[in-house]
Amino acid sequence: MSKAWVIGDELWKLIEPVLPPWPAKSPGPRPVPDRLCLQGILFVLHTGSGWEDLPQELGFGSGMTCWRRLQRWTEAGVFDQVHRILLAKLNAANRIDWSRAAMDASHIDAKKGGAGTGPSPVNRGKPGSKHHLICDGNGTPIYVLTSGANVPDIKRALDLLDCYPPIAGRPGRPRRRFATLLADKAYSSAAFRQACRERGTEPIIPRPKTPGIKGLGRLRYVVEQTFALLHQFRRLAVRWERRLDIHDGFVSLACVLICWRRLINWTH
């Protein structure tokens, strides 16, 4: 069995064309091949190990080399682009459930602080971050945002609705609106409900101090399942990056891997 951080040929064929070209007259020694650097980045993502602990015998280059490559690719939006490509492929295979989306947030510790952190209300005020997630009815991650742990869920709700690009893959214009949106009481707001309806999405959100909506939990479980998949990547279960863009680059790469596994499982 191959290791989780080994990139197969089929996935590499999707990623390689999106990578920015290396400067033809770059000074210094010949750079470590992109595929090996990506596998080094995946090793850190899967294991949660520090960059300085990347085993040299794996042949992926030094931890700093892999970190610089991750920085370069994050700035170029590489993993966001591959995520969109995979969502389009899932949509073409009729594997995006447009009947409903689910939205929620999950706390993680942020050991080194930095942008997008704040005092965690679930961990005695220690530095923490929060992942805000919207997924389709199958639990496929559509978009993830990172904020400080003290940011209320409702504050990023409209960003989750509006920030991800339309999803292609089917005849006609690319699509981005789900028929319904499932969320818990943290998203109960008249303004948010109105914003959903203006966008053609019917919100199904229980109101505070009222009985829950019958059967909503059985439909919303997919978002908790997706969080579990994201946080199986140990580098995401605890945030070690002070830089928010690097952490979000890891999040996008994790979404790529989740979507790729679903595409393989559903189409093969």
Side-chain angles (χ1 to χ4, degrees), residues 83-124:
H83 186 199
R84 290 197 295 270
I85 291 170
L86 288 168
L87 288 175
K89 288 183 175 294
L90 286 167
N91 195 29
N94 201 27
R95 291 297 183 172
I96 299 291
D97 182 359
W98 293 103
S99 68
R100 64 182 185 270
M103 180 183 291
D104 208 347
S106 179
H107 291 85
I108 60 170
D109 291 338
K111 296 297 187 181
K112 296 183 178 181
T117 67
S120 176
V122 300
N123 193 15
R124 297 171 292 174

Side-chain angles (χ1 to χ4, degrees), residues 128-188:
S129 290
K130 186 184 284 188
H131 288 146
H132 304 260
L133 166 70
I134 185 169
C135 65
D136 77 335
N138 294 321
T140 300
I142 304 297
Y143 196 67
V144 183
L145 292 169
T146 306
S147 75
N150 58 332
V151 175
D153 296 357
I154 190 65
K155 292 291 187 181
R156 302 308 305 267
L158 275 181
D159 293 331
L160 282 180
L161 278 183
D162 291 342
C163 285
Y164 64 88
I167 298 172
R170 306 282 289 178
R173 296 177 61 184
R175 185 173 176 178
R176 70 192 317 271
R177 298 303 177 194
F178 294 86
T180 59
L181 175 67
L182 314 178
D184 62 21
K185 293 180 181 180
Y187 296 91
S188 182

Side-chain angles (χ1 to χ4, degrees), residues 5 39-51 54 63 66 233-235 241 250:
W5 47 84
Q39 293 183 158
I41 293 167
L42 286 174
F43 181 90
V44 172
L45 175 62
H46 277 281
T47 65
S49 64
W51 293 105
L54 182 65
C66 292
F233 297 98
R234 294 183 181 178
R235 198 73 180 192
E241 281 67 42
F250 269 136

